[in-house]
Amino acid sequence: MEAIAVIDFETTGLSPACGSRATEIAAVIWQNGRIVDRYQSLMNAGVAIPADITRLTGITNAMVRNAPPASAVMREVADFVGNRPMVAHNASFDRKFWESELARIGAQSTSPFACTLLLARRLLPDAPDHKLSTLTRCARLPATGQAHRALADAEMAANLLGHLLGVLSDKHGVTPSFSLISMLQRVPAAKIGDALRRARSA
DNA sequence: TGCCAGGCCCTCTTTAGGGCCTT
């Protein structure tokens, strides 16, 4: 299966449309069942971090004050990711920030995104919930560090991706590919069984 | 003062509402 870039942002809020900015990004390259490369950096976007976000992430205003400018970090991480397909947990969130932060440096994203949250809802419907931390615990995936920091969460999401690909091949007998998971995440959840049967017989 | 998003999914649905998930 082709190499995939799994990313995670820490931000000052939930939406760039409301002025939220990135404070940290991590990207890991997933290939042949393991993480083969890592990128992580705090970034200074010149905005204050709300106190409740600092409580959640541990990222302080002092930490980002001493970090490289967001523009430099985004150029670096865009080079690191290249044109690989991308994955994130709740990708609609990370994709918004990816596109927004790239637009600020005059760049555009061309990589397709897939989402481990949408896949997990379809492939692991009996999980207690579909938070990244819960799925990591239930699947007995390795601890990756402090939750709500970008590198730990990106590694967690990459390990979850590996687990979901294993479910696809071991339980459903289909050969995983990015185009397959891209398709499956768009299938209505109620019809995932039919889609897997079609994929198996294809 | 208080609130601020948005895509997905389920259901007591589809001319809607509410919970989940990300920070």
Side-chain angles (χ1 to χ4, degrees), chain A residues 29-30 32 59 78 80-81 110 123 167 184 195:
Chain A
I29 306 301
W30 177 265
N32 299 327
I59 297 172
F80 179 82
V81 167
T110 55
L123 297 178
V167 169
L184 291 176

Side-chain angles (χ1 to χ4, degrees), chain A residues 70-142:
Chain A
S71 56
V73 172
M74 288 308 299
R75 282 190 193 95
E76 275 189 359
V77 71
D79 283 347
F80 179 82
V81 167
N83 57 4
R84 295 181 181 92
M86 299 176 74
V87 162
H89 194 68
N90 198 14
S92 65
F93 173 85
D94 291 281
R95 182 177 202 159
K96 279 187 302 187
F97 280 94
W98 180 251
E99 291 175 350
S100 166
E101 294 292 345
L102 284 180
R104 287 176 176 273
I105 59 168
Q108 265 190 326
S109 174
T110 55
S111 297
F113 261 86
C115 176
T116 50
L117 170 62
L118 295 182
L119 269 182
R121 281 177 174 160
R122 286 159 175 76
L123 297 178
L124 307 172
D126 298 327
D129 62 55
H130 295 88
K131 292 182 176 74
L132 183 57
S133 56
T134 303
L135 295 169
T136 293
R137 188 178 67 249
C138 290
R140 297 181 178 167
L141 299 173

Side-chain angles (χ1 to χ4, degrees), chain A residues 11-202:
Chain A
T11 70
T12 63
L14 292 175
S15 174
C18 294
S20 301
R21 294 293 307 274
T23 57
E24 185 178 48
I25 186 168
V28 302
I29 306 301
W30 177 265
Q31 190 168 28
N32 299 327
R34 65 190 183 92
I35 295 168
V36 297
D37 206 356
R38 294 167 170 81
Y39 176 95
Q40 177 271 329
S41 182
L42 289 162
M43 65 178 94
N44 185 354
V47 297
I49 303 174
D52 58 331
I53 299 290
T54 291
R55 278 191 291 276
L56 177 73
T57 64
I59 297 172
T60 66
N61 283 304
M63 289 162 69
V64 297
R65 205 159 38 237
N66 293 320
S71 56
V73 172
M74 288 308 299
R75 282 190 193 95
E76 275 189 359
V77 71
D79 283 347
F80 179 82
V81 167
N83 57 4
R84 295 181 181 92
M86 299 176 74
V87 162
H89 194 68
N90 198 14
S92 65
F93 173 85
D94 291 281
R95 182 177 202 159
K96 279 187 302 187
F97 280 94
W98 180 251
E99 291 175 350
S100 166
E101 294 292 345
L102 284 180
R104 287 176 176 273
I105 59 168
Q108 265 190 326
S109 174
T110 55
S111 297
F113 261 86
C115 176
T116 50
L117 170 62
L118 295 182
L119 269 182
R121 281 177 174 160
R122 286 159 175 76
L123 297 178
L124 307 172
D126 298 327
D129 62 55
H130 295 88
K131 292 182 176 74
L132 183 57
S133 56
T134 303
L135 295 169
T136 293
R137 188 178 67 249
C138 290
R140 297 181 178 167
L141 299 173
T144 55
Q146 183 190 343
H148 294 299
R149 287 299 300 268
L151 184 58
D153 283 4
E155 291 190 6
M156 239 187 285
N159 291 332
L160 174 60
L161 172 66
H163 178 70
L164 293 169
L165 298 178
V167 169
L168 278 174
S169 57
D170 300 344
K171 183 176 174 186
H172 298 290
V174 297
T175 304
S177 65
F178 186 83
S179 61
L180 174 71
I181 63 176
S182 228
M183 181 273 287
L184 291 176
Q185 70 171 11
R186 292 193 301 270
V187 170
K191 297 186 175 176
I192 191 67
D194 293 338
L196 287 167
R197 274 188 291 278
R198 280 196 303 275
R200 193 162 51 240
S201 60

